[in-house]
């Protein structure tokens, strides 16, 4: 019996690589694979699934208003044996429900790969719905810069500091342990506080009058 699978992990946990490897394994057995990704992900091209290790495959783009169940039904003549979705955190909750229907009514397995939370440790809407509806949920693990297990995503600014605001210029994402993220954030806040007091002292000195 087919299942809805959710494989999640932090940035750098080889989610896209696993998606492409899964595609290869099915195709090696002569099966047809429908590879997709949400339109929100355009880092390496809107219609490509790209992995950091160099693997890349063309993929169909999922628009926010697309009904995946209807598209699959209309393509029944091209019947797919398996569906693979990369960057699944960007799915709309309705998309996840439509994938669930495909699994139930067509007995076609669906594999979704994506992040669990953003850098603020808040669930993506698509990921939240996958946790609710998936038959199988598996964490893909990776290593933090300290050598331990990476647990959360940290948004790193151009100066290598952990960002706490949603908009940061020249920012990249990296898998980090929660403790390191908190320590770096505290360090950044301490530096800002120290700078404030230095500026305050300078202002006070300027205002001092000597008799």
């Amino acid at each position: 019996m087919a299942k809805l699978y959710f494989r999640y992990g932090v940035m750098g946990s080889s989610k896209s690589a696993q998606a492409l490897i899964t595609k290869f394994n099915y195709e090696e057995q002569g099966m047809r694979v429908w590879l997709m990704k949400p339109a929100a992900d355009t880092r390496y091209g809107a219609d490509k699934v790209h992995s950091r290790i160099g693997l890349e495959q063309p993929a169909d783009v999922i628009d926010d208003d697309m009904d995946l169940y209807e598209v699959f039904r209309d393509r029944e003549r091209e019947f797919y044996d398996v569906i693979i979705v990369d960057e699944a955190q960007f799915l709309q909750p309705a998309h996840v429900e439509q994938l669930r229907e495909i699994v139930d009514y067509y007995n076609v397995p669906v594999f979704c790969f994506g992040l669990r939370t953003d850098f603020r440790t808040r669930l993506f809407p698509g990921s939240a719905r996958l946790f609710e509806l998936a038959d199988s949920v598996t964490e893909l693990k990776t290593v933090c810069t300290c050598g331990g297990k990476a647990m959360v995503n940290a948004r790193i600014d151009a100066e290598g500091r952990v960002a706490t605001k949603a908009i940061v210029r020249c920012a990249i994402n990296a898998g980090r342990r929660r403790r390191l993220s908190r320590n770096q954030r505290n360090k950044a806040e301490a530096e800002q506080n120290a700078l404030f007091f230095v500026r305050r002292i300078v202002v006070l000195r300027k205002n001092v009058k000597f008799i």
Side-chain angles (χ1 to χ4, degrees), residues 73-100:
R73 183 185 59 196
D74 294 342
R75 295 187 180 187
E76 191 170 356
R77 292 181 180 178
E78 310 173 28
F79 193 83
Y80 296 103
D81 298 290
V82 62
I83 296 172
I84 298 175
V85 182
D86 194 31
E87 303 294 345
Q89 72 273 7
F90 295 129
L91 289 172
Q92 298 297 319
H95 290 146
V96 179
E97 295 164 5
Q98 293 153 14
L99 292 172
R100 176 77 258 179

Side-chain angles (χ1 to χ4, degrees), residues 119 161-164 178-192:
F119 70 98
R161 296 179 301 186
V162 174
T164 58
R178 187 177 292 109
R179 176 174 55 81
L180 290 185
S181 296
R182 187 183 301 113
N183 288 346
Q184 289 195 29
R185 184 169 63 249
N186 292 342
K187 181 180 178 182
E189 291 175 354
E191 290 175 351
Q192 292 177 356

Side-chain angles (χ1 to χ4, degrees), residues 186-204:
N186 292 342
K187 181 180 178 182
E189 291 175 354
E191 290 175 351
Q192 292 177 356
N193 291 336
L195 182 59
F196 170 79
F197 284 115
V198 168
R199 289 174 176 171
R200 182 65 175 168
I201 291 172
V202 171
V203 171
L204 290 174

Side-chain angles (χ1 to χ4, degrees), residues 47-87:
D47 58 349
K48 295 179 183 177
V49 171
H50 178 90
S51 170
R52 294 175 299 111
I53 64 174
L55 300 177
E56 186 175 275
Q57 286 284 306
D60 284 350
V61 177
I62 304 173
D63 295 321
D64 286 348
D65 58 351
M66 181 182 291
D67 188 320
L68 297 177
Y69 183 84
E70 288 187 359
V71 174
F72 184 87
R73 183 185 59 196
D74 294 342
R75 295 187 180 187
E76 191 170 356
R77 292 181 180 178
E78 310 173 28
F79 193 83
Y80 296 103
D81 298 290
V82 62
I83 296 172
I84 298 175
V85 182
D86 194 31
E87 303 294 345

Side-chain angles (χ1 to χ4, degrees), residues 4 10 14-15 19 37 45 50 54 66 76 127 138-139 144 154 169 175 184 210:
L4 173 59
V10 298
S14 301
K15 298 181 298 298
K37 58 179 276 192
H50 178 90
M66 181 182 291
E76 191 170 356
S127 300
T138 304
E139 181 182 12
C144 174
R169 293 181 180 178
Q184 289 195 29
F210 296 94

